Amino acid sequence: MTGEKKAILLRPGFWFGVAFFITVVLSIIWATARLNDWLKDEQRLPVQKIMIAGQRHFIKDEDVARTVRKAQPGSFFELDVNKALAAVEAMPWVHKASVRKEWPSTLKVYLIEQVPVAHWNSDSLLNQQGNLFNGQMNEEQDQLPQLFGPGGSEQTALQGYRAMQQLLDNSQLKIEELQLSERFAWQIKLSNGIKLNIGREEFIDRVQRFVDVYPMLVKSDRAVDYVDLRYDTGLAVGWKQKSES
C-alpha cells in the first residue's frame, strides 16, 4: 500500500463518506421494505369501490362485488385482474366480462349477461348461441320453450326450433315444447295443446304442410289432439274427445 493510499484511508472524511454511503443504502432498503409492506396492507389501500356496468336483468351487483372480494381479498395493488375476471365469468348468468383497475382504489367490471332462449332437458338453459348454462328465472320472466334432446344436440335442437317457429309465426302459433329423439326424430307441442309428430326427414316441409292445412283444421267443430306428419304426402289427425276439448 502506497503512502498516498494510507493517507486517504486515515482521513476522517473518507470514513465519514463510507458510513454515509452505507447509511443511504440501508435507508433505501428499509424504505423499500416499508413501502412494500404499506402497499400490501389491505387496510391502507383496499379496493374501496367496485363499479359494475352493462345491461343486467338477472345478475345482482352485490353478488358480483361479493364474488370479486371473495376471490381477491387483498389490497388494490395485490389484486390479480385475471383471477378476478375468471371468478366473475364463472358466475351463472355471466356470458362475458372485463375487469380493470382504476387508480387509486376502484375496480371497474363490465358485464355481458347471458340471454336465455330456451330450457334444456328441464335442468339447464340455452343461450342465443346454443350453449348451456345454469340459472334460475322467476315465473314472470319465464316464457321460454322447453327443449329436450340427447347430450350434444343442443345446437341442432335450437336451430330446428327456430326454423319451425319461423314457419308457425305466420299462423300465430308458438312452440311450447320440442323433443328431439336419440334417432333425431322431431316432436313438438304447441301452446294451444296440439302435438305434431314430425319424424326425422324433411321436417321443415312437413311443418309447412301443417301450416297450410291448419286454417281448415280450426274450422272443425272438434278440437285437434295431434297431427301425424310422418308421410310423404298428407297427414293424419287425431281428435280430442268432446270431454277433453
Side-chain angles (χ1 to χ4, degrees), residues 144-197:
L144 302 178
Q146 297 279 350
L147 273 56
F148 299 87
S153 66
E154 297 89 355
Q155 294 189 8
T156 299
L158 183 59
Q159 291 170 3
Y161 162 79
R162 285 172 168 163
M164 288 186 277
Q165 184 58 65
Q166 187 173 3
L167 292 176
L168 294 165
D169 281 341
N170 295 326
S171 301
Q172 287 76 52
L173 295 171
K174 296 293 182 184
I175 297 175
E176 183 177 278
E177 185 178 301
L178 177 148
Q179 294 192 16
L180 184 61
S181 74
E182 294 284 348
R183 298 180 65 250
F184 284 79
W186 301 88
Q187 289 184 320
I188 62 176
K189 178 183 177 183
L190 304 178
S191 57
N192 61 6
I194 296 176
K195 297 179 285 291
L196 304 184
N197 195 345

Short mmCIF file of all heavy atoms in Angstrom, two decimals, residues 144-197:
data_model
loop_
_atom_site.label_atom_id
_atom_site.label_comp_id
_atom_site.label_asym_id
_atom_site.label_seq_id
_atom_site.Cartn_x
_atom_site.Cartn_y
_atom_site.Cartn_z
N LEU A 144 -90.13 -19.19 -21.72
CA LEU A 144 -89.27 -19.86 -22.68
C LEU A 144 -89.79 -21.25 -23.03
O LEU A 144 -90.41 -21.92 -22.20
CB LEU A 144 -87.85 -20.00 -22.11
CG LEU A 144 -87.14 -18.71 -21.71
CD1 LEU A 144 -85.78 -19.03 -21.13
CD2 LEU A 144 -86.99 -17.78 -22.91
N PRO A 145 -89.53 -21.70 -24.25
CA PRO A 145 -89.93 -23.06 -24.63
C PRO A 145 -89.06 -24.11 -23.93
O PRO A 145 -87.92 -23.82 -23.53
CB PRO A 145 -89.70 -23.08 -26.15
CG PRO A 145 -88.61 -22.08 -26.36
CD PRO A 145 -88.87 -20.99 -25.37
N GLN A 146 -89.60 -25.30 -23.80
CA GLN A 146 -88.88 -26.43 -23.23
C GLN A 146 -88.34 -27.29 -24.37
O GLN A 146 -89.12 -27.80 -25.18
CB GLN A 146 -89.81 -27.26 -22.34
CG GLN A 146 -90.36 -26.53 -21.13
CD GLN A 146 -89.36 -26.51 -19.99
OE1 GLN A 146 -88.32 -27.18 -20.03
NE2 GLN A 146 -89.67 -25.74 -18.95
N LEU A 147 -87.03 -27.44 -24.42
CA LEU A 147 -86.39 -28.28 -25.44
C LEU A 147 -85.77 -29.49 -24.76
O LEU A 147 -85.14 -29.37 -23.70
CB LEU A 147 -85.31 -27.48 -26.18
CG LEU A 147 -85.74 -26.65 -27.40
CD1 LEU A 147 -86.84 -25.67 -27.05
CD2 LEU A 147 -84.53 -25.91 -27.99
N PHE A 148 -85.93 -30.65 -25.40
CA PHE A 148 -85.39 -31.90 -24.87
C PHE A 148 -84.63 -32.60 -25.99
O PHE A 148 -85.06 -32.60 -27.15
CB PHE A 148 -86.50 -32.81 -24.35
CG PHE A 148 -87.30 -32.23 -23.23
CD1 PHE A 148 -88.40 -31.43 -23.49
CD2 PHE A 148 -86.94 -32.48 -21.91
CE1 PHE A 148 -89.15 -30.88 -22.45
CE2 PHE A 148 -87.68 -31.94 -20.87
CZ PHE A 148 -88.79 -31.14 -21.13
N GLY A 149 -83.53 -33.23 -25.62
CA GLY A 149 -82.76 -33.98 -26.61
C GLY A 149 -81.56 -34.64 -25.99
O GLY A 149 -81.22 -34.39 -24.83
N PRO A 150 -80.89 -35.52 -26.74
CA PRO A 150 -79.70 -36.20 -26.23
C PRO A 150 -78.56 -35.21 -26.04
O PRO A 150 -78.51 -34.14 -26.67
CB PRO A 150 -79.37 -37.23 -27.32
CG PRO A 150 -80.02 -36.69 -28.56
CD PRO A 150 -81.23 -35.94 -28.11
N GLY A 151 -77.61 -35.55 -25.15
CA GLY A 151 -76.47 -34.69 -24.91
C GLY A 151 -75.69 -34.40 -26.18
O GLY A 151 -75.46 -35.28 -27.00
N GLY A 152 -75.31 -33.14 -26.35
CA GLY A 152 -74.56 -32.73 -27.53
C GLY A 152 -75.42 -32.26 -28.68
O GLY A 152 -74.89 -31.79 -29.70
N SER A 153 -76.75 -32.39 -28.55
CA SER A 153 -77.64 -32.00 -29.66
C SER A 153 -78.27 -30.62 -29.42
O SER A 153 -79.23 -30.27 -30.10
CB SER A 153 -78.74 -33.05 -29.84
OG SER A 153 -79.60 -33.07 -28.71
N GLU A 154 -77.72 -29.86 -28.48
CA GLU A 154 -78.34 -28.60 -28.10
C GLU A 154 -78.49 -27.64 -29.29
O GLU A 154 -79.55 -27.06 -29.51
CB GLU A 154 -77.52 -27.91 -26.99
CG GLU A 154 -77.44 -28.69 -25.70
CD GLU A 154 -76.27 -29.65 -25.67
OE1 GLU A 154 -75.57 -29.77 -26.69
OE2 GLU A 154 -76.05 -30.27 -24.62
N GLN A 155 -77.42 -27.47 -30.04
CA GLN A 155 -77.46 -26.51 -31.15
C GLN A 155 -78.36 -27.01 -32.28
O GLN A 155 -79.08 -26.21 -32.90
CB GLN A 155 -76.05 -26.24 -31.66
CG GLN A 155 -75.18 -25.52 -30.63
CD GLN A 155 -73.87 -25.04 -31.19
OE1 GLN A 155 -73.63 -25.10 -32.39
NE2 GLN A 155 -72.99 -24.55 -30.32
N THR A 156 -78.36 -28.31 -32.52
CA THR A 156 -79.27 -28.87 -33.54
C THR A 156 -80.72 -28.62 -33.15
O THR A 156 -81.54 -28.21 -33.98
CB THR A 156 -79.01 -30.38 -33.69
OG1 THR A 156 -77.67 -30.60 -34.11
CG2 THR A 156 -79.95 -30.99 -34.72
N ALA A 157 -81.04 -28.88 -31.88
CA ALA A 157 -82.41 -28.67 -31.40
C ALA A 157 -82.81 -27.21 -31.49
O ALA A 157 -83.93 -26.88 -31.90
CB ALA A 157 -82.54 -29.18 -29.97
N LEU A 158 -81.89 -26.32 -31.11
CA LEU A 158 -82.21 -24.89 -31.14
C LEU A 158 -82.40 -24.40 -32.58
O LEU A 158 -83.32 -23.62 -32.86
CB LEU A 158 -81.11 -24.09 -30.45
CG LEU A 158 -81.35 -22.59 -30.34
CD1 LEU A 158 -82.63 -22.28 -29.57
CD2 LEU A 158 -80.16 -21.89 -29.67
N GLN A 159 -81.56 -24.85 -33.49
CA GLN A 159 -81.71 -24.46 -34.89
C GLN A 159 -83.02 -24.96 -35.47
O GLN A 159 -83.72 -24.25 -36.20
CB GLN A 159 -80.52 -24.98 -35.71
CG GLN A 159 -79.20 -24.29 -35.39
CD GLN A 159 -78.01 -24.98 -36.03
OE1 GLN A 159 -78.16 -25.97 -36.75
NE2 GLN A 159 -76.82 -24.48 -35.74
N GLY A 160 -83.38 -26.21 -35.12
CA GLY A 160 -84.65 -26.74 -35.59
C GLY A 160 -85.82 -25.98 -35.02
O GLY A 160 -86.80 -25.70 -35.73
N TYR A 161 -85.75 -25.67 -33.74
CA TYR A 161 -86.80 -24.88 -33.10
C TYR A 161 -87.00 -23.54 -33.82
O TYR A 161 -88.13 -23.15 -34.13
CB TYR A 161 -86.46 -24.66 -31.63
CG TYR A 161 -87.22 -23.53 -31.00
CD1 TYR A 161 -88.55 -23.70 -30.59
CD2 TYR A 161 -86.64 -22.27 -30.84
CE1 TYR A 161 -89.26 -22.65 -30.03
CE2 TYR A 161 -87.34 -21.23 -30.28
CZ TYR A 161 -88.66 -21.41 -29.88
OH TYR A 161 -89.37 -20.37 -29.34
N ARG A 162 -85.91 -22.85 -34.07
CA ARG A 162 -86.00 -21.54 -34.72
C ARG A 162 -86.60 -21.64 -36.12
O ARG A 162 -87.43 -20.81 -36.52
CB ARG A 162 -84.62 -20.89 -34.78
CG ARG A 162 -84.15 -20.36 -33.43
CD ARG A 162 -82.71 -19.91 -33.50
NE ARG A 162 -82.33 -19.14 -32.31
CZ ARG A 162 -81.08 -18.91 -31.95
NH1 ARG A 162 -80.07 -19.38 -32.69
NH2 ARG A 162 -80.82 -18.21 -30.85
N ALA A 163 -86.17 -22.65 -36.87
CA ALA A 163 -86.68 -22.80 -38.24
C ALA A 163 -88.17 -23.11 -38.24
O ALA A 163 -88.94 -22.54 -39.04
CB ALA A 163 -85.90 -23.91 -38.96
N MET A 164 -88.61 -24.00 -37.34
CA MET A 164 -90.02 -24.36 -37.30
C MET A 164 -90.87 -23.21 -36.74
O MET A 164 -91.98 -22.95 -37.22
CB MET A 164 -90.22 -25.63 -36.48
CG MET A 164 -89.71 -26.87 -37.20
SD MET A 164 -90.07 -28.43 -36.33
CE MET A 164 -88.71 -28.48 -35.17
N GLN A 165 -90.34 -22.52 -35.74
CA GLN A 165 -91.09 -21.42 -35.16
C GLN A 165 -91.30 -20.29 -36.17
O GLN A 165 -92.35 -19.64 -36.19
CB GLN A 165 -90.38 -20.87 -33.92
CG GLN A 165 -91.14 -19.77 -33.19
CD GLN A 165 -92.52 -20.22 -32.74
OE1 GLN A 165 -92.64 -21.11 -31.90
NE2 GLN A 165 -93.57 -19.62 -33.30
N GLN A 166 -90.32 -20.09 -37.02
CA GLN A 166 -90.47 -19.07 -38.06
C GLN A 166 -91.64 -19.38 -38.99
O GLN A 166 -92.39 -18.47 -39.40
CB GLN A 166 -89.17 -18.96 -38.86
CG GLN A 166 -89.15 -17.80 -39.85
CD GLN A 166 -87.79 -17.62 -40.51
OE1 GLN A 166 -86.86 -18.38 -40.27
NE2 GLN A 166 -87.68 -16.61 -41.35
N LEU A 167 -91.82 -20.65 -39.32
CA LEU A 167 -92.96 -21.04 -40.16
C LEU A 167 -94.28 -20.87 -39.41
O LEU A 167 -95.28 -20.41 -39.97
CB LEU A 167 -92.82 -22.49 -40.60
CG LEU A 167 -91.69 -22.82 -41.58
CD1 LEU A 167 -91.64 -24.32 -41.82
CD2 LEU A 167 -91.87 -22.07 -42.89
N LEU A 168 -94.28 -21.23 -38.13
CA LEU A 168 -95.50 -21.17 -37.33
C LEU A 168 -95.92 -19.75 -36.97
O LEU A 168 -97.10 -19.52 -36.67
CB LEU A 168 -95.31 -21.99 -36.06
CG LEU A 168 -95.14 -23.50 -36.28
CD1 LEU A 168 -94.60 -24.17 -35.03
CD2 LEU A 168 -96.46 -24.14 -36.70
N ASP A 169 -94.97 -18.83 -37.01
CA ASP A 169 -95.30 -17.43 -36.68
C ASP A 169 -96.41 -16.88 -37.58
O ASP A 169 -97.21 -16.05 -37.14
CB ASP A 169 -94.05 -16.55 -36.81
CG ASP A 169 -93.12 -16.68 -35.62
OD1 ASP A 169 -93.58 -17.14 -34.56
OD2 ASP A 169 -91.93 -16.32 -35.75
N ASN A 170 -96.44 -17.32 -38.83
CA ASN A 170 -97.45 -16.82 -39.76
C ASN A 170 -98.87 -17.19 -39.34
O ASN A 170 -99.84 -16.54 -39.72
CB ASN A 170 -97.19 -17.37 -41.17
CG ASN A 170 -95.88 -16.87 -41.74
OD1 ASN A 170 -95.48 -15.75 -41.48
ND2 ASN A 170 -95.21 -17.71 -42.52
N SER A 171 -98.99 -18.25 -38.52
CA SER A 171 -100.29 -18.68 -38.02
C SER A 171 -100.49 -18.33 -36.55
O SER A 171 -101.42 -18.81 -35.91
CB SER A 171 -100.44 -20.21 -38.20
OG SER A 171 -100.32 -20.56 -39.56
N GLN A 172 -99.59 -17.48 -36.02
CA GLN A 172 -99.65 -17.06 -34.62
C GLN A 172 -99.62 -18.27 -33.67
O GLN A 172 -100.31 -18.31 -32.64
CB GLN A 172 -100.89 -16.21 -34.32
CG GLN A 172 -100.84 -14.80 -34.88
CD GLN A 172 -101.09 -14.75 -36.38
OE1 GLN A 172 -102.06 -15.29 -36.87
NE2 GLN A 172 -100.19 -14.08 -37.09
N LEU A 173 -98.84 -19.26 -34.03
CA LEU A 173 -98.67 -20.45 -33.20
C LEU A 173 -97.27 -20.44 -32.57
O LEU A 173 -96.30 -20.03 -33.20
CB LEU A 173 -98.84 -21.71 -34.04
CG LEU A 173 -100.23 -21.93 -34.65
CD1 LEU A 173 -100.21 -23.08 -35.64
CD2 LEU A 173 -101.26 -22.20 -33.55
N LYS A 174 -97.21 -20.91 -31.33
CA LYS A 174 -95.95 -20.93 -30.61
C LYS A 174 -95.61 -22.35 -30.17
O LYS A 174 -96.48 -23.10 -29.73
CB LYS A 174 -96.02 -20.04 -29.35
CG LYS A 174 -96.23 -18.56 -29.66
CD LYS A 174 -95.02 -17.96 -30.35
CE LYS A 174 -95.20 -16.47 -30.61
NZ LYS A 174 -94.05 -15.92 -31.39
N ILE A 175 -94.32 -22.69 -30.32
CA ILE A 175 -93.86 -23.98 -29.83
C ILE A 175 -93.66 -23.88 -28.32
O ILE A 175 -92.89 -23.06 -27.84
CB ILE A 175 -92.54 -24.40 -30.51
CG1 ILE A 175 -92.75 -24.57 -32.02
CG2 ILE A 175 -92.00 -25.70 -29.90
CD1 ILE A 175 -91.47 -24.85 -32.79
N GLU A 176 -94.36 -24.73 -27.61
CA GLU A 176 -94.22 -24.77 -26.15
C GLU A 176 -93.18 -25.79 -25.72
O GLU A 176 -92.45 -25.58 -24.75
CB GLU A 176 -95.57 -25.11 -25.52
CG GLU A 176 -95.59 -25.10 -24.01
CD GLU A 176 -97.00 -25.38 -23.50
OE1 GLU A 176 -97.81 -24.43 -23.45
OE2 GLU A 176 -97.29 -26.55 -23.16
N GLU A 177 -93.13 -26.90 -26.45
CA GLU A 177 -92.21 -27.98 -26.10
C GLU A 177 -91.71 -28.66 -27.37
O GLU A 177 -92.49 -28.87 -28.31
CB GLU A 177 -92.91 -28.98 -25.20
CG GLU A 177 -92.03 -30.10 -24.67
CD GLU A 177 -92.81 -31.01 -23.74
OE1 GLU A 177 -93.34 -30.52 -22.72
OE2 GLU A 177 -92.90 -32.23 -24.05
N LEU A 178 -90.43 -28.96 -27.40
CA LEU A 178 -89.83 -29.65 -28.55
C LEU A 178 -89.02 -30.82 -28.03
O LEU A 178 -88.25 -30.68 -27.07
CB LEU A 178 -88.94 -28.69 -29.34
CG LEU A 178 -88.17 -29.27 -30.55
CD1 LEU A 178 -88.01 -28.21 -31.63
CD2 LEU A 178 -86.79 -29.81 -30.14
N GLN A 179 -89.16 -31.97 -28.67
CA GLN A 179 -88.40 -33.16 -28.30
C GLN A 179 -87.67 -33.68 -29.52
O GLN A 179 -88.26 -33.87 -30.58
CB GLN A 179 -89.32 -34.23 -27.72
CG GLN A 179 -89.96 -33.84 -26.40
CD GLN A 179 -90.61 -35.02 -25.72
OE1 GLN A 179 -90.36 -36.17 -26.05
NE2 GLN A 179 -91.46 -34.72 -24.74
N LEU A 180 -86.38 -33.91 -29.34
CA LEU A 180 -85.53 -34.49 -30.38
C LEU A 180 -85.06 -35.84 -29.85
O LEU A 180 -84.37 -35.91 -28.83
CB LEU A 180 -84.35 -33.57 -30.67
CG LEU A 180 -83.40 -33.98 -31.81
CD1 LEU A 180 -84.14 -34.04 -33.14
CD2 LEU A 180 -82.23 -33.01 -31.90
N SER A 181 -85.44 -36.93 -30.51
CA SER A 181 -85.15 -38.27 -30.01
C SER A 181 -83.70 -38.65 -30.29
O SER A 181 -82.96 -37.94 -30.97
CB SER A 181 -86.09 -39.29 -30.65
OG SER A 181 -85.70 -39.51 -32.01
N GLU A 182 -83.30 -39.80 -29.75
CA GLU A 182 -81.95 -40.32 -30.00
C GLU A 182 -81.72 -40.55 -31.50
O GLU A 182 -80.59 -40.46 -31.96
CB GLU A 182 -81.76 -41.64 -29.23
CG GLU A 182 -81.77 -41.50 -27.72
CD GLU A 182 -80.47 -40.92 -27.17
OE1 GLU A 182 -79.49 -40.84 -27.94
OE2 GLU A 182 -80.45 -40.55 -25.98
N ARG A 183 -82.78 -40.84 -32.22
CA ARG A 183 -82.67 -41.07 -33.67
C ARG A 183 -82.94 -39.78 -34.45
O ARG A 183 -83.08 -39.79 -35.66
CB ARG A 183 -83.67 -42.15 -34.11
CG ARG A 183 -83.41 -43.50 -33.46
CD ARG A 183 -84.41 -44.57 -33.90
NE ARG A 183 -84.28 -44.88 -35.32
CZ ARG A 183 -85.17 -44.55 -36.25
NH1 ARG A 183 -86.29 -43.90 -35.91
NH2 ARG A 183 -84.98 -44.87 -37.51
N PHE A 184 -82.99 -38.65 -33.73
CA PHE A 184 -83.18 -37.33 -34.30
C PHE A 184 -84.51 -37.20 -35.05
O PHE A 184 -84.59 -36.63 -36.14
CB PHE A 184 -82.01 -36.96 -35.22
CG PHE A 184 -80.77 -36.59 -34.45
CD1 PHE A 184 -79.96 -37.55 -33.89
CD2 PHE A 184 -80.44 -35.26 -34.25
CE1 PHE A 184 -78.85 -37.22 -33.15
CE2 PHE A 184 -79.33 -34.90 -33.51
CZ PHE A 184 -78.52 -35.88 -32.95
N ALA A 185 -85.53 -37.76 -34.42
CA ALA A 185 -86.90 -37.54 -34.87
C ALA A 185 -87.50 -36.40 -34.04
O ALA A 185 -87.25 -36.30 -32.84
CB ALA A 185 -87.73 -38.81 -34.73
N TRP A 186 -88.33 -35.58 -34.70
CA TRP A 186 -88.85 -34.38 -34.06
C TRP A 186 -90.31 -34.56 -33.63
O TRP A 186 -91.12 -35.11 -34.36
CB TRP A 186 -88.80 -33.20 -35.04
CG TRP A 186 -87.44 -32.86 -35.55
CD1 TRP A 186 -86.83 -33.40 -36.65
CD2 TRP A 186 -86.53 -31.92 -35.01
NE1 TRP A 186 -85.59 -32.84 -36.84
CE2 TRP A 186 -85.37 -31.92 -35.84
CE3 TRP A 186 -86.56 -31.05 -33.91
CZ2 TRP A 186 -84.27 -31.10 -35.61
CZ3 TRP A 186 -85.46 -30.24 -33.67
CH2 TRP A 186 -84.34 -30.27 -34.51
N GLN A 187 -90.60 -34.05 -32.44
CA GLN A 187 -91.97 -33.92 -31.96
C GLN A 187 -92.08 -32.55 -31.29
O GLN A 187 -91.17 -32.14 -30.57
CB GLN A 187 -92.33 -35.01 -30.95
CG GLN A 187 -92.48 -36.39 -31.55
CD GLN A 187 -92.93 -37.40 -30.49
OE1 GLN A 187 -92.47 -37.37 -29.36
NE2 GLN A 187 -93.81 -38.30 -30.89
N ILE A 188 -93.19 -31.88 -31.53
CA ILE A 188 -93.39 -30.59 -30.87
C ILE A 188 -94.82 -30.50 -30.32
O ILE A 188 -95.74 -31.15 -30.81
CB ILE A 188 -93.12 -29.38 -31.81
CG1 ILE A 188 -94.07 -29.39 -33.00
CG2 ILE A 188 -91.67 -29.36 -32.26
CD1 ILE A 188 -93.90 -28.16 -33.91
N LYS A 189 -94.93 -29.72 -29.29
CA LYS A 189 -96.24 -29.41 -28.71
C LYS A 189 -96.44 -27.92 -28.78
O LYS A 189 -95.58 -27.14 -28.34
CB LYS A 189 -96.31 -29.89 -27.26
CG LYS A 189 -97.63 -29.57 -26.57
CD LYS A 189 -97.61 -30.00 -25.11
CE LYS A 189 -98.90 -29.61 -24.41
NZ LYS A 189 -98.87 -29.97 -22.97
N LEU A 190 -97.57 -27.48 -29.33
CA LEU A 190 -97.85 -26.06 -29.48
C LEU A 190 -98.54 -25.52 -28.24
O LEU A 190 -99.08 -26.27 -27.42
CB LEU A 190 -98.72 -25.83 -30.71
CG LEU A 190 -98.16 -26.37 -32.04
CD1 LEU A 190 -99.15 -26.12 -33.17
CD2 LEU A 190 -96.81 -25.75 -32.35
N SER A 191 -98.50 -24.21 -28.09
CA SER A 191 -99.08 -23.58 -26.90
C SER A 191 -100.60 -23.78 -26.83
O SER A 191 -101.19 -23.63 -25.76
CB SER A 191 -98.74 -22.09 -26.88
OG SER A 191 -99.20 -21.45 -28.07
N ASN A 192 -101.24 -24.10 -27.96
CA ASN A 192 -102.68 -24.37 -27.94
C ASN A 192 -103.00 -25.84 -27.66
O ASN A 192 -104.15 -26.27 -27.73
CB ASN A 192 -103.34 -23.95 -29.26
CG ASN A 192 -102.77 -24.70 -30.46
OD1 ASN A 192 -101.98 -25.62 -30.32
ND2 ASN A 192 -103.18 -24.29 -31.65
N GLY A 193 -101.95 -26.63 -27.34
CA GLY A 193 -102.14 -28.02 -26.96
C GLY A 193 -101.99 -29.02 -28.08
O GLY A 193 -101.94 -30.23 -27.82
N ILE A 194 -101.93 -28.60 -29.33
CA ILE A 194 -101.79 -29.52 -30.46
C ILE A 194 -100.38 -30.09 -30.48
O ILE A 194 -99.39 -29.36 -30.37
CB ILE A 194 -102.11 -28.82 -31.79
CG1 ILE A 194 -103.57 -28.36 -31.83
CG2 ILE A 194 -101.81 -29.74 -32.97
CD1 ILE A 194 -103.93 -27.58 -33.08
N LYS A 195 -100.27 -31.40 -30.67
CA LYS A 195 -98.98 -32.08 -30.75
C LYS A 195 -98.72 -32.46 -32.21
O LYS A 195 -99.61 -32.97 -32.90
CB LYS A 195 -98.97 -33.32 -29.85
CG LYS A 195 -99.14 -32.99 -28.37
CD LYS A 195 -99.15 -34.23 -27.50
CE LYS A 195 -100.46 -34.99 -27.60
NZ LYS A 195 -101.59 -34.26 -26.98
N LEU A 196 -97.49 -32.24 -32.65
CA LEU A 196 -97.09 -32.57 -34.02
C LEU A 196 -96.02 -33.64 -33.97
O LEU A 196 -94.96 -33.46 -33.35
CB LEU A 196 -96.54 -31.34 -34.76
CG LEU A 196 -97.44 -30.10 -34.84
CD1 LEU A 196 -96.77 -29.02 -35.69
CD2 LEU A 196 -98.81 -30.45 -35.40
N ASN A 197 -96.31 -34.77 -34.62
CA ASN A 197 -95.33 -35.84 -34.75
C ASN A 197 -94.72 -35.69 -36.15
O ASN A 197 -95.37 -35.96 -37.16
CB ASN A 197 -96.00 -37.21 -34.60
CG ASN A 197 -95.01 -38.32 -34.36
OD1 ASN A 197 -93.81 -38.14 -34.57
ND2 ASN A 197 -95.50 -39.47 -33.93
#
